Amino acid sequence: MYEELNDRQLEAVKHTQGPLLILAGAGSGKTKVLTSRIAFLIENNVAPYKILAITFTNKAAGEMRERVDRAVGFGADAIWVATFHSTCVRILRRYADRIGYENHFTIYDSDDQKHLIKTICKKLNIDTKRFKEKTFMAEISGAKDKLINPTEYAREANGDYVKSTYAQVYREYQSALKKNNAMDFDDLIVQTVELLQKDETVCRQYQERFEYVMVDEYQDTNTAQFELIRLLAGKYENLCVVGDDDQSIYKFRGANIQNILNFEQYYPKAHVIRLEQNYRSTQNILNAANSVIRNNYGRKEKTLWTENPTGNKIVFKQFENGDEEAYFVSHDIAAKVKEGTFGYSDCAILYRTNAQSRLFEERFVAENIPYKIIGGVNFYARKEIKDLLSYLKTIDNARDDLAVMRIINVPKRGIGATTIAKVSGYADEQGIGFYDALLRVQEISSVSRAAAKIETFVQFVQVMRTKLLSGLSIRELIEEIIEQTGYVRELEAEGTDEALSRIENIDELINKIATYEEEVDEPTLGGFLEEVALIADIDNLEEESEYVVLMTLHSAKGLEFPNVYLAGLEDGLFPSYMSISSGDESEVEEERRLMYVGITRAMKQLTITSARMRMVRGEINFARVSRFVKEIDSTLLTGTINETRPIREQSPSRQAKSAFKQNSYLTKSSAPKREAKDFGKASLSEGQLEYVVGDRVRHMKFGEGLVQEIVRGGRDFEVTVLFDNYGVKKMFATFAKLKKI
């Protein structure tokens, strides 16, 4: 077993006494080191039950369990190999009564949490249209990650209305959990920490038992997890943590990178071993990763190297727009598969946001390339997309009963499942469609209470139909639906990362509509829905054993592929606009670590793509090549960066459109010319702004906020807004499209 290890790995295996920090670079064999280290301890007469190995996910724990069983053999079952949560459950099931719970406590999942918070909001008369249940869940979870209890949280709120509201719900929520003898997943760690802090007998018992503690993916730990580990390893301090600060990309989930960066401050006697030899990638790929990540200040120095071949240079391709980008990637994959260089399953497309998958999905369907979305669902199967398409279907002809039923109470209108069932029953009796039954709601005596709400819904649909017949474009129609229903406002009020991702998906649907109207001589709502149906009907495709993988960069951590495409490398997309405009360099450093993760997923070939202009919410925006591409040593790249603006009247380009028509199964008429908007040359006068300093405004992504300053900058205005959920943002008025409330 040990002969397979390199010198640094072997050193890590044999260093068993005292605190140890193993800085394991991407692809450096850290799991092999951990399992070998456990085997070495047992060979040196350490009792298996004295060893605790903790990781994050059940999948990772299962894989480590299998490796440990194979490496150790007899006695392996006595070793605790578990996730943080399962470790805590084992402790609490025995000793929860020491901190005021019964040992057979209930564990609440997210649905239970949401229901409980909804009940609390009703009790406290809190408007759940302004304060979403998921927002409270995220805020409470964040507080628990940092070991902040309800009393401390209320103190930190310091009279702030929003924070005070969160504090009130947090206090009631924890009180209700205790009353119900229940814990949520965050409590499993928090309450275990409290148990170990308050009960010296229990703490000493576990400190004595776990003479050796090992933690995988240490860069992803939060404050509560750090404290748990510190307490468990408190007697012997034979604590071995394995991680890579350069792959710390989960700050939004509460990960605290300072845990790994400051390990030597917490444990001054710590020994540090760097695993820098990579077994996955070519040297050119590693050189690219090294040249990017060295621009981060908040990191521990290490340089990846390999005995693998130098390999091909990184391919950089810059396109006019996202359509050309998707066209190139699909054809490049098809060509490589045809020539036998790679199979479909060797290829992965990685991107910053879920919404980016749409163009690739459509190209793959057109080219009959099998693919699978990892860590998400196909674009047209996402809830928010299906909801808005159901609105369009209902307005188009309302003959799709499923579509009408889907959105009759989305967003909530007080039309419940019982009412829908009664209307459906009436429709069946009369032999008519569900929507036709809604038109006759006054004839259905059993739904008299909800009749007025149903009539309001029907009136909305009829008004939208009238506007469409009066010349409203499809894009204007979808924006009207979003505005009138408050669909995006609800997501903004939720304020979570998931909600922001959904808003981005809605923006991408608007892009699709704008592209359709651009490319078709006589666009119609029915025609658009027909095109989407042809593209979206992929659920019936047989599952392929060979398929291209599409996923976000966050989902790709821990995976590897022979042929990787990093797509959408533009400032404002990756790194994101929010990280660039935050003024906080640590936000950009987090994005740079994400780039490092993306690069190091590639084994043999890496292709990076960028678009000079990209459609955002139906408008053409110009973009510069990502700063991360420019940080790669130019000698490692093929292709050049062109920062001059394209002088084209037609978008997407003639070449891309021509190729699309020749290869797509969708027949389109020739596209009308459209001039791309150059926002840098926009000309606004103060009278054209509908808001002034001190006004409340709404932004499609950032939600509601207060205008703090308006400054003329060239031929546009720079507007500073303090947003309720996202803090201070500066933006140009033409880009921002702020609406006065």
Side-chain angles (χ1 to χ4, degrees), residues 31 35 58-73 76 81:
T31 307
T35 52
N58 289 319
K59 182 173 182 285
E63 289 174 356
M64 188 180 291
R65 174 90 263 171
E66 287 179 17
R67 291 203 193 189
V68 168
D69 290 347
R70 286 198 302 269
V72 174
V81 180

Side-chain angles (χ1 to χ4, degrees), residues 314-366:
I314 287 83
V315 175
F316 173 69
K317 293 281 186 180
Q318 188 176 12
F319 301 97
E320 292 297 308
N321 49 61
D323 295 282
E324 285 188 4
E325 177 185 52
Y327 178 82
F328 163 79
V329 171
S330 65
H331 278 258
D332 194 54
I333 290 172
K336 284 179 167 58
V337 171
K338 186 175 181 180
E339 67 191 24
T341 309
F342 297 112
Y344 288 124
S345 61
D346 295 327
C347 303
I349 304 173
L350 310 181
Y351 37 75
R352 182 64 182 83
T353 67
N354 275 307
Q356 288 172 256
S357 75
R358 199 260 303 174
L359 290 174
F360 294 106
E361 289 185 65
E362 293 187 0
R363 288 307 313 159
F364 287 173
V365 172

